């Protein structure tokens, strides 16, 4: 898989997770789910992991582009 396709795939996954996180946070704020089961923390952790991986990919691409004649 090309790096661009991988980056786009990670970005799409991150967007879905962010949507789920926003939903869980809203439900928690409005008392729909009175007990936090750890989902919010898991989503935040996974989003951070994806963001880090995407940042690493972006850095690799930037270095490759700079090094090209």
């Amino acid at each position: 898989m090309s790096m661009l396709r991988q980056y786009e795939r990670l970005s799409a996954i991150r967007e879905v997770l962010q949507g789920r996180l926003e939903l869980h946070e809203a439900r928690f704020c409005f008392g729909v789910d009175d007990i936090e089961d750890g989902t919010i923390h898991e989503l935040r952790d996974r989003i951070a992991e994806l963001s880090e991986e995407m940042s690493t990919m972006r850095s690799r691409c930037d270095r490759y582009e700079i090094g090209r004649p």
Side-chain angles (χ1 to χ4, degrees), residues 16-66:
V16 168
L17 293 176
Q18 286 176 329
R20 287 180 55 199
L21 175 61
E22 290 173 8
L23 177 63
H24 278 279
E25 287 175 332
R27 290 174 72 192
F28 188 72
C29 286
F30 291 109
V32 175
D33 292 327
D34 290 335
I35 300 173
E36 168 54 48
D37 64 356
T39 302
I40 291 175
H41 298 291
E42 289 176 18
L43 288 169
R44 285 183 183 152
D45 290 345
R46 184 64 181 131
I47 290 168
E49 289 171 6
L50 288 169
S51 296
E52 180 64 32
E53 188 173 347
M54 292 169 67
S55 177
T56 300
M57 290 179 75
R58 198 174 311 124
S59 295
R60 287 182 192 158
C61 287
D62 289 346
R63 282 186 296 204
Y64 177 74
E65 290 296 320
I66 291 171

